[in-house]
Structures are given as C-alpha cells and as structure tokens.
Amino acid sequence: PGILAFLADTLLVLSFQTPLKKTNTLIAQMGITFVNAYVPSALCCPSRASILTGKYPHNHHVVNNTLEGNCSSKLWQKIQEPYTFPALLKAMCGYQTFFAGKYLNEYGAEDAGGVGHVPPGWSFWYALEKNSKYYNYTLSVNGKARRHGENYSVDYLTDVLANMSLDFLEYKSNFEPFFMMIATPAPHSPWTPAPQYTKSFQNVSAPRNSNFNIHGKNKHWLIRQAKTPMSNSSIQFLDDAYRKRWQTLLSVDDLVEKLVKKLEVNGELDNTYIFYTSDNGFHTGQFSLPIDKRQLYEFDIKVPLLVRGPGIKPNQTNKMLVANIDLGPTILDIAGYDLNKTQMDGMSLLPLLRGDKNVTWRSDFLVEYQGEGYNGSDPTCPGLGPGVTHCFPDCVCEDSYNNTYACVRTLSASWDLQYCEFDDREVFVEVYNLTADPHQINNIAKTIDQEILEKMNYRLMMLQSCSGATCRTPGVFDPGYRFDPRLMFSNHGLRARRFSAQFL
C-alpha cells in the first residue's frame, strides 16, 4: 500500500477540528480517530526522534532541541538515523520515500553537516533548515540549499510543501510503493497565516477550561511560580496566538485536501494509508502559563491521531492508549516488515486499525523530559535565580534545568491515572486521577493509597530502563502484572525510600 503521513507542529487535540474541517472529513470521518494518543516527550526534537526511531527518548538520547541535546547531531546521524523506519522502508521494503518540511530543529546546522546532509532512507528530500518558518527560509533540496523569500505566491512554506508533494505524486514511479511524510510548520510560531486567512476566526479566543488562569497549587515549583491571575497583556497575547495558530492551519487543511484529491484522481486513494498527527501539544493559559509546551499535563502530551486506509472502517473512535513510538512499527507492519528485527519500543497499531478482536494492548506508557535552563540568571527575571529559560516579560518562566521529570501514564478499565516524579531537590511527586479530575487541578500524591504509589514508583523505574520488548510488559493495573516490594529495597533502595512523609 501507499502510505502518507502528515505531521503538524505543536497541535493540541482541542484545537484541530474547527480549522481542519476538510482534514476531519477526509481522514477522521473516513477512518479512525485515536482519542488517547500521546507523545513520550512534549518537545519537538525528542518527539520527532521518537516518531522516526519508534523509541523512547532514553533510548534514542535526543533530550532537547539543541545540538548538545543530540538534536540532529553527528551522534544522532551515526547511531540512530540508519535504523529509522524510513531507512528500513527504503532499504528492506522497496519503498520510494519522500520527505517535505520540518525534520529536526537543528537540521542543517553547520556543526552537523549543514543542509548537504541527507539522512538515509529518503529518495526525495525537501527539508527545512532548522525550526518552523513560513517565509525567508532555506530548504535542502536533495542536499542542495534553496533559499526562499517572502513572496506569498512562491514562498509560503505550507503551499510550497503542497506543490512539491503534488509533483511527487504526479511523477513518482508506479512500479514501487510510496511513503510520504509532510511535516508542516503550522501551527508553530511565528504563526504567519496566508494572506487570504488573516481575517479568519476574529472572535476566537483560547479555551477557558477550569484550569485556565488559575494558580497551580501543589504542583512543581516551576508551575507554582506563574503569576495568577495573568496580566491582561499576557491574556491578550495568548488569545492572539491561538487565533493565528488556527489561521495557519487553514492552509494545512487545503494541503490535505489537495493531496487526497490527487490520490483519488490517480486511482491510488483506496490503497493508501493516511495518518494525521502532531509532535506535541501546546498550552495557552492553563495554570497561568501563557504559551509553550514541555510540561507533563494532558494539554502538552496529548495529540490528535487520525488514520484512514484499506480495511479501516469509517467513523470509528478508538480509546486504546497509543503513542507516537507506535507510528514507526505500524508503518513497517503495513509494509510487511518483520518487527522482531527492529529495536523499537512501540507497538504496531495495525491490529487496532483493522478492528481485530481480542488484541492484547498496553495499559501504560512512559513520559520523560529533561529540562533546559541557562547557567546565569535570566536578565528580565533576576529574582528567580539561575537555571530558568523561556521567560515572559512578567517573569513567568516556561522551563528550567530542574523541570526534569518522568511519568507513567496509565489507562485501564479501573484507572485513568498519571504518576510523575521530578529529578530535583524536592524529589517532587505529582499524581492525578483523570477520571475525577480531567484537567489535573488536584495533585493527590499525599492522599492516594501508599501501595499504589510504591507500585507506580517501581513501574516507573522499570520503564525508564526499558528497551524494545521490555517497554511492552504488563502495567500496574494489568492482570499479568507482578509486583514484589522487596525488589524496591534490594535493587532500588535509595529511589524507593523517597516516599517518606517529609517528601510528600
């Protein structure tokens, strides 16, 4: 089959259905929507690396958006790139492969080979140098730099990607199956809409859910430091950003429509799997954090995942717990590759797509993030001390070096739970029961049953050291789970003893 994957940039679940009406009609209504789809790290480069490798960040070692954090570094190119799913698709499955758009945030950096570096696995390569832009950018066109300016008709990146993709579908070989990945800049900043869409959604503002513009009590210090209520200027800024993000998505919606129609004209639509997802979510005012991602909450780690294709019935929703580490195994499975030959941590979604009965599925997965921060104090916010970054004018900082955490996100018949530990001096713990508290307002770490805490602590340690098949072992609330509390103290004594009363 043909395979087409659309990857948005920082698109949260709440905000895709209204601006992406055609995408919803052409993919979701013609296939399946995964309503519990997540990313293991709410930041662009680690998340994209997880999609490409099918691995958790602790196994692909991309920890942030910098070269030093292994984002598109020489080490990444040497150790991980040869084993990404596109490399296997091309080398082992005979696919012609096409990439257009944002690859990894530091792609094209001089210290990592510049735009001359074309990763293995791609027959046709049209990759954006560095991070999302809409105008005034450089593309690597099969390893040669092509500069674009700010003339809408020839330079607006979303439309350029659409035209390149249509050309590929027009001129590709009909003797080999194809795989396309189109990674649009939208709706990432700088949120530059196409001229025809600048007046759209004038009355739209960011959602005012129950966690909007409230103090993050009983949360990690980085959340507690946010000023509540937010200033009027911050609220105006985040509402404006939310509108512009929606405006940029209208061009993505056009792109999706053009490609689906082209596949239909070519007679290939019925034999093509089409995926639509995002690399992470985004927050706009929740817990008084103006705009960013990087946090452990649903609004940052939950993403849309829509799939249509052969054998997928229309208008379905699926509640299974899926993650972006599953995309690589799924696409390889579609192509007929033996997944036992990979080192991937994820699971193939193909049985879920086909509606197979009695599928054994995971009940939990790992979220992990390594905070970023400067050694010196932020000049705009000296009172917060060293180690913070991404600070707003009113000294609300979105990240810090000790915003480093790992979580187990559990979804089973009995529990909808998130358990998180911070690697900081407080050894801070956050636990949320999302059945009772879907907006994660109340941290129940102090009141939840001690045995559940111990089990989740132990499960977290297992997942943080997992690789391949060991990442798919039964979770705490699976019937097959086995827990021996003695193991916590024999192997992991220091870690487990953190649950004395003084820490909680």
Side-chain angles (χ1 to χ4, degrees):
I3 308 167
L4 168 57
F6 294 101
L7 179 61
D9 198 341
T10 67
L11 176 61
L12 69 160
V13 169
L14 279 175
S15 76
F16 80 92
Q17 287 176 324
T18 303
L20 292 174
K21 280 189 165 59
K22 291 181 276 194
T23 301
N24 204 45
T25 301
L26 293 168
I27 305 179
Q29 291 178 21
M30 298 303 295
I32 190 166
T33 299
F34 288 91
V35 294
N36 291 305
Y38 290 87
V39 296
S41 188
L43 190 62
C44 299
C45 207
S47 182
R48 287 162 185 265
S50 285
I51 291 171
L52 291 163
T53 62
K55 295 178 181 178
Y56 282 120
H58 71 263
N59 288 328
H60 60 59
H61 306 295
V62 177
V63 297
N64 59 38
N65 288 346
T66 66
L67 277 179
E68 296 75 24
N70 203 28
C71 181
S72 206
S73 68
K74 290 277 194 182
L75 187 67
W76 155 265
Q77 293 170 18
K78 180 181 177 182
I79 304 295
Q80 301 295 340
E81 272 188 347
Y83 305 102
T84 59
F85 80 83
L88 295 173
L89 267 186
K90 184 169 186 284
M92 309 305 293
C93 305
Y95 270 66
Q96 53 190 320
T97 55
F98 170 93
F99 182 87
K102 175 179 167 180
Y103 178 58
L104 300 173
N105 295 57
E106 284 295 327
Y107 172 75
E110 283 186 28
D111 291 346
V115 294
H117 170 68
V118 177
W122 298 105
S123 318
F124 302 90
W125 180 251
Y126 302 94
L128 178 67
E129 180 189 38
K130 300 207 173 170
N131 205 0
S132 281
K133 290 183 177 179
Y134 298 81
Y135 294 111
N136 298 312
Y137 55 86
T138 297
L139 289 179
S140 171
V141 178
N142 298 317
K144 298 281 195 316
R146 180 187 292 171
R147 181 79 189 147
H148 279 262
E150 50 190 338
N151 179 343
Y152 169 70
S153 61
V154 293
D155 296 317
Y156 189 69
L157 182 56
T158 307
D159 293 352
V160 169
L161 300 181
N163 293 333
M164 288 173 164
S165 303
L166 291 168
D167 283 349
F168 171 74
L169 287 175
E170 180 70 27
Y171 299 113
K172 67 178 174 56
S173 163
N174 290 324
F175 301 102
E176 297 171 307
F178 70 90
F179 169 70
M180 303 176 72
M181 180 177 269
I182 302 164
T184 61
H188 197 283
S189 62
W191 317 302
T192 312
Q196 68 270 32
Y197 295 134
T198 54
K199 297 286 194 293
S200 302
F201 307 122
Q202 287 301 300
N203 298 320
V204 165
S205 55
R208 268 40 174 187
N209 290 332
S210 56
N211 56 8
F212 180 81
N213 198 14
I214 65 167
H215 184 248
K217 61 181 180 179
N218 300 321
K219 289 179 165 48
H220 188 239
W221 76 268
L222 185 67
I223 309 300
R224 297 197 305 264
Q225 58 86 33
K227 291 180 175 53
T228 307
M230 290 184 286
S231 65
N232 289 337
S233 59
S234 284
I235 293 175
Q236 188 175 347
F237 176 73
L238 68 86
D239 279 339
D240 188 48
Y242 195 87
R243 272 190 295 277
K244 287 178 179 174
R245 285 165 58 81
W246 273 26
Q247 290 167 0
T248 67
L249 286 169
L250 292 172
S251 294
V252 177
D253 210 31
D254 293 340
L255 180 157
V256 170
E257 181 186 43
K258 287 173 188 172
L259 265 72
V260 171
K261 285 191 170 177
K262 181 66 174 173
L263 287 167
E264 190 171 26
V265 168
N266 287 359
E268 296 175 304
L269 183 58
D270 291 343
N271 193 38
T272 301
Y273 287 90
I274 304 177
F275 295 77
Y276 191 95
T277 191
S278 177
D279 57 359
N280 47 256
F282 199 69
H283 56 255
T284 46
Q286 290 89 344
F287 303 125
S288 300
L289 299 170
I291 59 162
D292 199 48
K293 53 258 181 181
R294 306 165 201 269
Q295 309 307 334
L296 55 87
Y297 308 105
E298 295 282 286
F299 44 73
D300 283 359
I301 63 171
K302 198 170 188 177
V303 293
L305 177 57
L306 320 173
V307 194
R308 68 171 285 176
I312 302 176
K313 293 175 183 171
N315 268 319
Q316 289 189 82
T317 57
N318 185 292
K319 295 181 179 178
M320 295 294 196
L321 192 60
V322 302
N324 71 2
I325 54 172
D326 300 333
L327 294 172
T330 303
I331 290 167
L332 289 173
D333 200 9
I334 288 169
Y337 188 73
D338 181 359
L339 297 179
N340 292 322
K341 294 180 179 177
T342 75
Q343 299 298 310
M344 293 181 174
D345 303 331
M347 304 167 68
S348 171
L349 302 174
L350 196 52
L352 302 183
L353 297 177
R354 289 175 173 159
D356 293 357
K357 304 298 181 190
N358 302 319
V359 177
T360 302
W361 201 253
R362 70 162 70 84
S363 65
D364 64 15
F365 78 100
L366 176 68
V367 180
E368 48 191 351
Y369 178 69
Q370 185 169 316
E372 293 181 74
Y374 302 116
N375 289 332
S377 297
D378 188 293
T380 59
C381 306
L384 288 174
V388 296
T389 185
H390 294 79
C391 298
F392 281 80
D394 45 3
C395 288
V396 177
C397 297
E398 296 277 3
D399 205 4
S400 68
Y401 67 89
N402 69 356
N403 182 40
T404 296
Y405 57 82
C407 306
V408 181
R409 180 71 178 88
T410 288
L411 187 61
S412 66
S414 52
W415 283 97
D416 188 354
L417 189 73
Q418 186 174 14
Y419 168 91
C420 301
E421 295 179 9
F422 281 85
D423 185 11
D424 62 4
R425 276 184 296 187
E426 283 185 285
V427 202
F428 200 77
V429 178
E430 294 188 31
V431 183
Y432 297 98
N433 176 357
L434 284 98
T435 304
D437 179 24
H439 294 128
Q440 296 169 292
I441 293 167
N442 300 308
N443 177 9
I444 59 170
K446 291 181 181 178
T447 56
I448 196 169
D449 185 86
Q450 181 77 12
E451 184 183 352
I452 292 179
L453 274 183
E454 290 176 357
K455 285 183 176 180
M456 297 303 284
N457 169 247
Y458 182 65
R459 178 65 177 158
L460 181 59
M461 288 187 290
M462 295 298 98
L463 285 174
Q464 282 184 284
S465 58
C466 78
S467 179
T470 60
C471 298
R472 304 189 289 272
T473 53
V476 169
F477 300 106
D478 282 355
Y481 181 73
R482 295 289 176 265
F483 173 64
D484 183 350
R486 292 171 299 181
L487 292 174
M488 295 176 64
F489 297 97
S490 58
N491 298 337
H492 306 284
L494 287 173
R495 181 87 177 254
R497 276 195 290 273
R498 64 174 52 172
F499 290 119
S500 62
Q502 71 192 74
F503 289 130
L504 294 175

